[in-house]
Amino acid sequence: MDREQLETNQIPIYFVAVIVAALGGLLAPNASEALGSTVTPTIAVLMYAMFLQIPFLDLRNGLANKRFMAALLTANFVAIPLLVWALTMGITNHPAILVGALLVLLTPCIDYVVVFTHIGKGDSKLTLAATPLLLLMQLVLLPVYLTFMLGNDSTVVISIGPFVEAFVMLIALPLVLAVATAAGAKRSRIVESWNNAWAWMPVPAMAAVLVVMGRLPWALGSVSLHVVGSLVMTAAGLLSYQIINTR
């Protein structure tokens, strides 16, 4: 199987990975709990593999695409929060559930977005170029959203530490390493070979993430929230696209 065939068959591969993860989580729950510590490294590997797939000039070009960035930021940080606020008004009397729903719906997994944009024949390079900005905006705006949606009387305390750690480990570090690899590939055949070998890695890395995440005990219970989240993101994206393109 060559790289093109691997990418063509990535959806069945991901489907199998999810099934393996679900079965593993049900049949070996103790082993699943042990995988918790591998979540961050596995996602970091995925992001490194994804960042290696684009010329880094595209990072600047992507951010310079005003229409794309306007639609992206409007969908993620205006339309989606408004829809989430409306959807969660019915569970305000259950703070723990409300916080979980808000975290899932307001901070979607950016690494998944890049992969699924590619699967959907979207412009994954532009999306990938915007990932550092998206995660940084999430870090800055999430406390604002939570303060507004939870209210001042909420007893729930949200630590910013995990979000900062996520930005450093899942975006900044993989991005720096990918830039260094791309620069080194122009000067060293060894690094160039390393870079070329990693061109095969996005699909296996994504499958590994699905296996690790899917085997965690809370993963099966969060499926409904992710389904709702997918519908919310789709609706918000379409709305933002229509608004931007009518200008």
Side-chain angles (χ1 to χ4, degrees), residues 24-81:
L26 293 173
L27 299 177
N30 293 332
S32 298
E33 293 179 4
L35 287 175
S37 60
T38 67
V39 171
T40 296
T42 306
I43 296 178
V45 169
L46 170 63
M47 294 308 297
Y48 174 68
M50 294 297 297
F51 280 132
L52 282 177
Q53 303 312 304
I54 61 170
F56 281 93
L57 180 61
D58 286 354
L59 290 173
R60 184 173 58 187
N61 292 340
L63 296 177
N65 189 324
K66 295 181 180 179
R67 176 169 292 187
F68 170 78
M69 291 304 301
L72 189 68
L73 296 178
T74 300
N76 277 276
F77 303 112
V78 179
I80 287 175

Side-chain angles (χ1 to χ4, degrees), residues 152-219:
N152 295 327
D153 297 331
S154 175
T155 58
V156 178
V157 178
I158 303 295
S159 173
I160 196 64
F163 297 98
V164 175
E165 179 184 357
F167 178 77
V168 173
M169 297 299 296
L170 304 182
I171 297 295
L173 183 58
L175 180 60
V176 170
L177 291 176
V179 171
T181 302
K186 297 179 180 180
R187 304 175 182 177
S188 169
R189 290 186 177 180
I190 296 177
V191 179
E192 183 181 9
S193 298
W194 169 270
N195 191 35
N196 292 337
W198 274 83
W200 289 73
M201 286 302 295
V203 174
M206 183 64 195
V209 169
L210 291 174
V211 169
V212 171
M213 296 290 289
R215 290 190 61 171
L216 296 179
W218 45 261

Side-chain angles (χ1 to χ4, degrees), residues 102-125:
L102 292 177
L103 290 176
V104 169
L105 298 177
L106 291 174
T107 56
C109 299
I110 295 173
D111 51 321
Y112 288 176
V113 172
V114 177
V115 174
F116 293 136
T117 298
H118 178 71
I119 293 174
K121 308 301 181 184
D123 197 329
S124 58
K125 289 185 177 181

